[in-house]
Amino acid sequence: MRKAKWVAAAAGVVLLVAGCGGEGGSGKNKGGSSSSSTSGSTGGGSDAGGGDSPDAAAVEKEIEAAATAAGFVQDASGEDVPAELKDCMVSWTADTKKVADPKTAYDATVKTLSGGGWTEGQGTEQAGSTIKTLNKGTWSLKASNHGAAGFSIVMFIGTDNTAKCEALFKADLEKNKKP
């Protein structure tokens, strides 16, 4: 139950950031001339532009491939995406205890994703935390690395920014809102 609420909150943050725009307005993440045909998948009915938009399975596969190539193993206790959001959201948490240097592996993962058709957008660094935004088609990926003395969390949360998915995120947030 706690995990579902956390994922819903994370989706809300991603929507808030996406809605407040660092990436321009009406074209919604067309992402330049990315003509990659990742795993042969095409957009899941993209009503937000971005004809080369991957589906959730392709996004998860790309994150998995980039992260494991950088030395990460997925943390089995990471956050699960609620069933009704599985076509619109991907969550991948690294087991940072199984990699020598989480920051180096995080940087390598982001670099691999950027080389694989993801366009790096705005990012922030503050007090041992780095959050980068990557875009591909209608998808926005928040790559985050939080580390301090003896503490490290690396997560990749992708959301599809189509109107259909935004409506599902809002419905999920309302459903999990405390009275």
Side-chain angles (χ1 to χ4, degrees):
M1 181 65 107
R2 192 176 108 230
K3 286 184 179 186
K5 288 180 182 178
W6 185 91
V7 170
V13 169
V14 171
L15 281 173
L16 178 65
V17 171
C20 291
E23 296 303 323
S26 61
K28 260 214 174 182
N29 298 341
K30 284 220 176 207
S33 61
S34 154
S35 62
S36 70
S37 57
T38 309
S39 307
S41 67
T42 56
S46 165
D47 59 336
D52 286 343
S53 193
D55 63 10
V59 170
E60 185 169 24
K61 191 173 187 178
E62 288 182 45
I63 295 168
E64 176 83 22
T68 56
F72 283 128
V73 174
Q74 188 169 16
D75 185 346
S77 67
E79 305 300 330
D80 290 327
V81 175
E84 61 273 10
L85 297 178
K86 289 219 182 258
D87 289 339
C88 298
M89 183 176 182
V90 172
S91 178
W92 201 95
T93 304
D95 186 342
T96 57
K97 293 179 181 122
K98 294 184 178 176
V99 66
D101 184 355
K103 179 166 180 13
T104 300
Y106 167 82
D107 290 340
T109 303
V110 170
K111 183 176 181 179
T112 298
L113 289 167
S114 293
W118 288 86
T119 303
E120 198 168 331
Q122 73 184 69
T124 60
E125 286 192 44
Q126 182 176 343
S129 292
T130 302
I131 301 173
K132 294 185 178 182
T133 301
L134 300 153
N135 298 296
K136 186 174 196 178
T138 61
W139 282 82
S140 179
L141 176 63
K142 298 295 182 200
S144 60
N145 175 30
H146 308 284
F151 171 80
S152 180
I153 296 175
V154 174
M155 293 180 65
F156 301 90
I157 299 176
T159 55
D160 190 343
N161 296 313
T162 60
K164 172 188 163 195
C165 287
E166 287 182 8
L168 288 171
F169 289 133
K170 288 177 185 173
D172 187 66
L173 287 170
E174 285 298 317
K175 178 177 78 174
N176 291 306
K177 192 184 275 187
K178 291 184 179 181

